[in-house]
Amino acid sequence: RLLAIGIAVIAGIGAAALTWFLTRLRDSGPATASERVIRFDMSLDSVGPELPMPSPDGRHLAFVRATGPDRRLLWIHSLDSGESRSLPGTESAMDPIWSPDGRWIAFFADGKLKKVSPSGGPPQTIATVAGFQDAAWGARGDIIFRPANRQALLRVHESGGTPSELTTL
């Protein structure tokens, strides 16, 4: 009889400890940032024809929004705060892409490939280009793109220069 009481007490303590542990685990939230769930509302009617581009860290979106007839600006949307803000100097922006480290956003405007800091500041011209589509920004600073459909891929370094042909058709 004493043995049965001892087993019941140990089982009760074990159940209480397990309940306490599971409650703390549930209430402590996600263990890592990658497990974070973020919800937001953003009307795709307010952005241009391109979909918003997520930053490498997943905390921001870059998108083009029409601010008037024939006027577009590059915008940044913070998923943490839910707020959007325009980046001055990015008039006529199209096709934004993020640098791998998230410190720059490249975009096409007025026949030029440009880059701007997501925190703001004046855009910098990288190169004069005929067009800018389907771009990728590599870890070594090369931006690869095509100027138009059915054209060869071009490469230019993020620091600027003349684009060089990467492929031939």
Side-chain angles (χ1 to χ4, degrees):
R1 191 167 165 97
L2 196 53
L3 181 61
I5 293 173
I7 291 174
V9 168
I10 292 173
I13 291 172
L18 182 61
T19 301
W20 175 84
F21 175 76
L22 291 176
T23 302
R24 298 240 336 146
L25 184 64
R26 182 192 72 217
D27 293 342
S28 68
T32 65
S34 64
E35 295 174 351
R36 233 177 2 155
V37 175
I38 298 173
R39 292 180 178 82
F40 68 97
D41 291 322
M42 176 183 241
S43 170
L44 293 180
D45 294 335
S46 66
V47 300
E50 304 113 15
L51 290 175
M53 296 297 295
S55 62
D57 66 4
R59 297 178 62 185
H60 297 90
L61 296 173
F63 63 96
V64 175
R65 176 184 283 169
T67 58
D70 299 324
R71 183 180 158 126
R72 296 180 309 275
L73 281 174
L74 186 59
W75 288 68
I76 300 296
H77 180 81
S78 169
L79 295 174
D80 292 333
S81 71
E83 296 180 9
S84 297
R85 61 184 168 73
S86 64
L87 294 176
T90 61
E91 290 80 10
S92 303
M94 295 172 49
D95 301 317
I97 63 164
W98 289 86
S99 63
D101 61 8
R103 293 181 52 214
W104 296 99
I105 302 169
F107 62 96
F108 178 71
D110 303 320
K112 298 188 183 317
L113 174 58
K114 300 178 180 186
K115 68 180 181 180
V116 67
S117 170
S119 60
Q124 300 173 19
T125 298
I126 297 172
T128 299
V129 295
F132 187 69
Q133 300 180 357
D134 304 323
W137 196 328
R140 291 190 222 169
D142 288 328
I143 300 172
I144 298 171
F145 64 97
R146 62 185 180 147
N149 289 337
R150 299 181 186 195
Q151 291 194 0
L153 294 176
L154 301 179
R155 173 178 44 204
V156 66
H157 195 268
E158 65 189 18
S159 62
T162 303
S164 60
E165 203 168 85
L166 187 62
T167 61
T168 57
L169 297 180

